[in-house]
Amino acid sequence: MKTATLVILAVYVLVMVGIGFYTSRLTKSTDDFMLGGRSVGGWLTAFSYGTTYFSAVVFIGYAGQFGWMYGVSASWVGIGNAIIGSLIPFFLIGKRTRLMSNHLNAKTMPEFFEYRFDSKALKTASAVIVFVFLIPYTASVYNGLSRLFGMVFDFGENGSTVIIIAMAVLSAVYVMLGGYKATALNDFFQGIIMLIGIATVVALTVKTKGGLSSAIQQLSEIADTEKLGTLTGPDPINLLGVVILTSLGTWGLPQMVQKFYAIKDEQAIKKGAIISTFFALVVAGGSYFMGGFVRLYCTLDLNESGKDFIETVNGKPVYDTMVPALLQKALPSVLIGLVVVLVLSASLSTLSSLVLTSSSTLTNDLIKPHIKNFTDKKQMTVMRVFIAVFLLISVIIACNKNASISTLMSYSWGALSGAFLGPFLYGLFMKKATPTACGVSFCTGIGISILHMLLFSMNISAFDGVKQSVIDMGLKINLLSPINAGAFAMIISLIIVPVVSSFTKAPDEKVVENAFSVIK
């Protein structure tokens, strides 16, 4: 089985690198490297959007955690990802983002903020935020990959570090070679693998337990978890927090929004909306639905026969180990190689978008304004250097196993979209949105995430009393959850911008009218 998996992986890696070399010949300028010359069609954009959206974080981390907590009702997260996270943003912000960014010649989200609000300060602040808070998301992807590879090959603790480094090198190679075109073409190839792989895994997960009705019945019979087999699940309020974070969050994430900068035309947007929604329903819906059955394959009780005992820390389950345990029980060994390539595909496509977004933002928005005669050739060289730096920092964080996959992603998405969602959305639609309102949103989104991290996730003894007070409240909304903190930051961002804009100074009227002149 390991030999077959290694052969499949070798073929996969050769194809990825080959695409990188092929597209390197088509990449002649920074516009090509960062946005594919703004000529990417609907199919490639849809697959690039979907594969950037979903990675090992969803398949390994979130599917395991929320499947364990909410059962089959976790499938609502996948449905929310398809409708709120994919369909609506294509139709709501896709056209305006493409037109306005193209007209303003903005290549990144920070550059959009500068030209739309006539503020270099917003550009600088947002560029720093992008670089810093994309790092934990990247680390969470590496964690998911190392968990799966550890299950298949049993490399041990040092082996997982080697895997993380190898994946970083692979993603760096083809992004450095071909930039956006390489990632888009690879994303299409990887997306096909993800669709086939998820459908296969979901079918076998249910079949192994005697079919859908039998699996749901077994789930409902587990002690104290009868609601895990229902559509509403045991905790619909906190489940809503997951839906908001993972769905609404895409509207303010630079690596997602940038797909609309690069899309070719309005027809491509319409086509991309349908394709990306279908992709999300299969990949995200399938992942969370599969995760809903992890309790049939995993248990915390060693005395229960027929199930795998899962790893715990302080008596609590380690969610990141659950899906690998499920896969070992549900899949025949010959298909493990397919799953490895599935998760690798999902993760590398996400990684490539993250490192490209981060490096291009730093180079274009922080370095370029301060260097004279910064030619296209020099810019691409600097971007490639920052790709390596970004990946190195992410690898160092990923090698620390103390933080779970979902925690790392939640803080990343909560901070980024909590800072940018309101400013970007209202920047597209509301002429009276002000730079001050955007700055307040930046501070609030980052502030909520950092404060929550200090209080509840960094095990600082001085805050133990605060933690216990929150636990003693017994609220239905889990205030300790970084997921709910991120969702709260996003909602606050949507409220802050129009409120603060109502009593602060808007940009010069000519700047605003120029930005909206292409909107018909």
Side-chain angles (χ1 to χ4, degrees):
M1 184 268 289
K2 291 182 180 179
T3 302
T5 301
L6 286 171
V7 171
I8 294 172
L9 280 173
V11 173
Y12 173 82
V13 169
L14 288 174
V15 171
M16 295 296 99
V17 176
I19 290 174
F21 277 108
Y22 168 73
T23 52
S24 67
R25 297 182 299 173
L26 307 175
T27 303
K28 307 297 183 183
S29 66
T30 53
D31 204 50
D32 289 336
F33 192 86
M34 295 166 64
L35 297 173
R38 299 185 190 264
S39 60
V40 182
W43 279 91
L44 288 183
T45 297
F47 272 78
S48 185
Y49 187 93
T51 53
T52 298
Y53 199 166
F54 309 114
S55 66
V57 174
V58 170
F59 188 75
I60 301 295
Y62 272 25
Q65 177 172 345
F66 303 129
W68 179 273
M69 294 170 63
Y70 305 120
V72 294
S73 67
S75 302
W76 285 113
V77 182
I79 295 171
N81 292 171
I83 305 301
I84 303 172
S86 298
L87 181 66
I88 294 177
F90 263 84
F91 283 118
L92 180 65
I93 67 176
K95 178 181 176 181
R96 281 181 177 251
T97 301
R98 176 188 168 273
L99 290 174
M100 202 175 284
S101 65
N102 201 349
H103 175 66
L104 297 174
N105 196 29
K107 298 182 181 69
T108 64
M109 183 180 277
E111 208 166 47
F112 171 84
F113 289 138
E114 178 190 15
Y115 297 147
R116 166 62 182 85
F117 295 102
D118 192 25
S119 172
K120 292 186 181 296
L122 287 181
K123 180 177 77 169
T124 302
S126 56
V128 172
I129 292 169
V130 168
F131 183 79
V132 171
F133 285 95
L134 279 183
I135 289 173
Y137 185 24
T138 308
S140 71
V141 177
Y142 285 131
N143 268 349
L145 279 172
S146 65
R147 293 283 185 183
L148 183 68
F149 275 79
M151 175 204 79
V152 175
F153 297 108
D154 193 22
F155 286 145
E157 191 65 31
N158 293 330
S160 65
T161 301
V162 173
I163 291 164
I164 290 171
I165 294 172
M167 294 307 101
V169 171
L170 177 58
S171 55
V173 165
Y174 76 79
V175 177
M176 286 180 178
L177 284 170
Y180 191 91
K181 289 180 180 178
T183 62
L185 197 54
N186 269 321
D187 288 348
F188 183 77
F189 175 70
Q190 292 162 339
I192 297 296
I193 296 173
M194 290 168 67
L195 288 172
I196 296 171
I198 289 290
T200 303
V201 170
V202 170
L204 289 174
T205 297
V206 174
K207 182 180 178 182
T208 302
K209 293 300 177 181
L212 180 59
S213 59
S214 175
I216 291 177
Q217 180 62 33
Q218 293 174 58
L219 198 61
S220 300
E221 291 172 355
I222 298 176
D224 301 323
T225 58
E226 58 275 359
K227 289 187 178 181
L228 292 174
T230 66
L231 287 176
T232 55
D235 190 3
I237 294 177
N238 285 297
L239 179 60
L240 178 62
V242 183
V243 174
I244 293 172
L245 178 85
T246 62
S247 302
L248 187 62
T250 61
W251 299 22
L253 293 176
Q255 71 270 24
M256 304 301 296
V257 169
Q258 203 158 315
K259 307 302 179 186
F260 301 130
Y261 288 33
I263 200 164
K264 183 167 58 176
D265 52 36
E266 190 173 349
Q267 286 302 115
I269 292 174
K270 293 177 181 178
K271 184 187 295 183
I274 304 303
I275 298 167
S276 68
T277 303
F278 172 77
F279 186 92
L281 280 172
V282 174
V283 174
S287 294
Y288 287 111
F289 181 74
M290 169 204 69
F293 297 100
V294 291
R295 283 182 184 260
L296 299 183
Y297 294 89
C298 310
T299 182
L300 298 180
D301 186 356
L302 278 170
N303 297 319
E304 280 195 53
S305 60
K307 301 189 181 87
D308 289 334
F309 175 67
I310 62 171
E311 185 181 342
T312 61
V313 174
N314 297 325
K316 296 181 180 180
V318 178
Y319 299 114
D320 300 346
T321 64
M322 292 179 174
V323 169
L326 179 152
L327 295 173
Q328 281 185 313
K329 297 281 286 185
L331 268 62
S333 58
V334 293
L335 289 180
I336 294 295
L338 173 65
V339 174
V340 171
V341 174
L342 153 67
V343 179
L344 183 59
S345 296
S347 301
L348 284 183
S349 55
T350 299
L351 287 171
S352 63
S353 290
L354 295 179
V355 298
L356 186 59
T357 300
S358 179
S359 64
S360 59
T361 296
L362 269 181
T363 304
N364 190 72
D365 303 323
L366 292 181
I367 306 299
K368 182 180 176 181
H370 303 288
I371 298 180
K372 294 181 179 180
N373 300 319
F374 202 36
T375 64
D376 270 8
K377 186 176 181 180
K378 290 180 181 178
Q379 287 182 58
M380 286 191 284
T381 299
V382 172
M383 276 190 271
R384 287 170 172 135
V385 170
F386 276 123
I387 286 171
V389 172
F390 180 84
L391 287 173
L392 177 62
I393 297 172
S394 301
V395 165
I396 292 171
I397 294 175
C399 290
N400 179 359
K401 301 298 182 184
N402 291 331
S404 72
I405 293 171
S406 66
T407 298
L408 288 169
M409 177 189 163
S410 299
Y411 280 127
S412 175
W413 279 43
L416 288 167
S417 204
F420 299 149
L421 177 57
F424 185 74
L425 187 63
Y426 290 114
L428 292 173
F429 288 92
M430 193 174 86
K431 291 184 177 182
K432 293 183 179 180
T434 70
T436 302
C438 294
V440 173
S441 178
F442 288 4
C443 294
T444 304
I446 300 303
I448 290 172
S449 298
I450 292 177
L451 182 62
H452 192 278
M453 195 185 304
L454 290 171
L455 290 176
F456 303 126
S457 292
M458 296 188 70
N459 297 318
I460 300 174
S461 58
F463 298 125
D464 286 346
V466 178
K467 288 185 189 179
Q468 191 58 50
S469 297
V470 172
I471 293 171
D472 292 342
M473 288 180 190
L475 298 176
K476 286 187 175 295
I477 298 177
N478 181 9
L479 298 180
L480 295 176
S481 168
I483 294 162
N484 288 335
F488 177 72
M490 293 175 193
I491 294 171
I492 289 296
S493 177
L494 290 174
I495 297 172
I496 279 177
V497 175
V499 171
V500 176
S501 293
S502 67
F503 58 83
T504 54
K505 185 180 178 181
D508 185 271
E509 188 175 342
K510 290 181 179 179
V511 173
V512 177
E513 291 304 321
N514 176 55
F516 281 86
S517 63
V518 291
I519 306 298
K520 299 177 181 179

